[in-house]
Amino acid sequence: MRADNDDGARNSGSGAQGRPSGEAELSDSLRTFGAVLKVLREEANLTQEELAPRVRYSAHYIAKIEQGKRYPPKDLPARAEEPLGYVASRVLTAAYRSLTRRTGLASWFQYWATVEEEALSLYAYECRAIPGLLQPEPYIRAIFERRLPPMTEEQIERQVVARLARQQLLNERPNTTFCFLIEQALLERRLGGADVTRALLDHLLEEGSRRNVEIQIMPLRQEKHYGFEGPLYLAEMPNNQWVGYYECQEDSALVSAPKAVSAMLQRYGKMRSQALSPEASAGLLKEMRGAL
């Protein structure tokens, strides 16, 4: 779906509204945070290689944050207090508060990103690409490198930053229930080649080990498959009401009408019963990983 290939979507209540124009731009706030971190690091007379082990992140990761190409971890300001000092930690904390993971996403995807951040439960079924919240960086790059018309390296980098920032949800919402139904065919396809597929399988096994994350694989053969109408996403909001989301080609919609959402929930429930259990799915992922 476009939310997982473009990080963009069209908003709607019971139908779709017009799509605002505009391209996802590299976040100015991410650049600012990176510049602040670099100045504070240099003031402490530390190189990236020296700072990295003291904040327990790799030098490569620190470099990407300083370049504004990675969303900083929430605990980075606290970890920086010992090597950079109390004042520097306070400055980084203030800079972090100015960030939003929605910065850098296409303008038409902003509303669904808000829904994701507030949801008590998030359900996803995908038959075209691995859901964006589960994509490791090599797979993200493989997706955008195959976009038509072709994207520039800068455009690809912007989308990678936006996608990785969204994925912070899995770290920051341990009380949110995440359920993902993925077609086995997406894994058999080996998009991007064997190395990308290895990274993908390892990532799915790691994410699926979280207590609040369930990953189920839909077998290649399922005669009573209820997913023929295509991908769907569902979110339970804080008031315990559900909303749905779907996309097809260049059209998308946020679904809030109770009857329509109920039908999506029924479909999703049927598919969960037809897919492999989370345990059996993990076994299949390990088997596929060993065969590469």
Side-chain angles (χ1 to χ4, degrees):
M1 76 176 207
R2 183 169 299 272
D4 286 324
N5 294 327
D6 261 351
D7 282 322
R10 187 177 295 181
N11 300 335
S12 79
S14 57
Q17 299 173 353
R19 184 192 303 263
S21 62
E23 180 188 81
E25 298 178 354
L26 191 62
S27 167
D28 288 339
S29 59
L30 284 176
R31 286 175 174 159
T32 299
F33 184 95
V36 169
L37 176 60
K38 181 179 180 180
V39 169
L40 294 172
R41 173 180 59 77
E42 291 176 343
E43 282 294 310
N45 294 315
L46 294 174
T47 65
Q48 292 174 346
E49 290 73 18
E50 291 169 334
L51 176 63
R54 298 175 72 174
V55 294
R56 302 190 298 281
Y57 290 108
S58 70
H60 176 75
Y61 194 24
I62 295 298
K64 290 293 186 180
I65 293 173
E66 290 188 357
Q67 295 164 13
K69 295 182 178 180
R70 288 295 181 274
Y71 198 94
K74 188 175 184 179
D75 60 356
L76 179 59
R79 293 190 186 191
E81 182 174 346
E82 185 275 325
L84 301 183
Y86 174 75
V87 173
S89 177
R90 291 286 300 276
V91 170
L92 287 174
T93 299
Y96 185 87
R97 287 172 180 161
S98 70
L99 297 174
T100 168
R101 65 175 57 86
R102 295 193 299 274
T103 303
L105 298 180
S107 59
W108 52 83
F109 186 67
Q110 298 274 342
Y111 189 77
W112 181 251
T114 301
V115 170
E116 284 186 330
E117 291 185 352
E118 296 178 353
L120 301 177
S121 303
L122 275 171
Y123 293 174
Y125 163 65
E126 264 298 347
C127 58
R128 289 179 287 180
I130 301 300
L133 290 176
L134 291 179
Q135 294 176 2
E137 184 172 339
Y139 188 89
I140 297 172
R141 293 188 180 279
I143 287 285
F144 289 113
E145 286 170 359
R146 286 156 179 77
R147 281 300 309 273
L148 293 174
M151 301 174 71
T152 66
E153 289 299 319
E154 184 180 5
Q155 289 172 324
I156 291 174
E157 193 64 33
R158 290 170 181 171
Q159 294 289 353
V160 170
V161 169
R163 181 80 33 96
L164 292 175
R166 274 180 63 209
Q167 293 176 1
Q168 292 295 318
L169 280 174
L170 294 172
N171 295 321
E172 297 180 8
R173 295 193 64 85
N175 298 120
T176 294
T177 299
F178 296 90
C179 297
F180 300 96
L181 289 175
I182 303 171
E183 289 287 342
Q184 183 178 345
L186 297 179
L187 305 171
E188 299 284 0
R189 186 173 299 149
R190 299 189 181 184
L191 178 70
D195 289 342
V196 171
T197 303
R198 285 191 195 95
L200 173 61
L201 293 171
D202 288 342
H203 189 68
L204 291 177
L205 285 167
E206 180 180 357
E207 295 302 316
S209 68
R210 295 175 185 265
R211 284 182 294 176
N212 63 324
V213 174
E214 286 191 354
I215 296 176
Q216 293 183 253
I217 306 300
M218 183 67 76
L220 286 173
R221 293 179 178 84
Q222 177 50 265
E223 294 181 0
K224 297 183 179 180
H225 198 327
Y226 276 80
F228 59 88
E229 293 187 64
L232 65 88
Y233 283 66
L234 290 154
E236 181 188 11
M237 303 309 292
N239 62 0
N240 299 117
Q241 292 185 345
W242 287 80
V243 294
Y245 177 82
Y246 68 84
E247 290 198 5
C248 57
Q249 297 297 332
E250 297 300 317
D251 192 24
S252 61
L254 185 73
V255 181
S256 58
K259 185 175 181 179
V261 174
S262 175
M264 295 174 74
L265 281 166
Q266 289 181 52
R267 249 189 341 269
Y268 197 84
K270 285 285 189 180
M271 285 189 287
R272 289 187 73 177
S273 69
Q274 295 170 335
L276 298 178
S277 70
E279 294 75 19
S281 296
L284 176 60
L285 292 173
K286 292 175 182 176
E287 180 183 330
M288 296 179 72
R289 178 65 174 83
L292 285 172

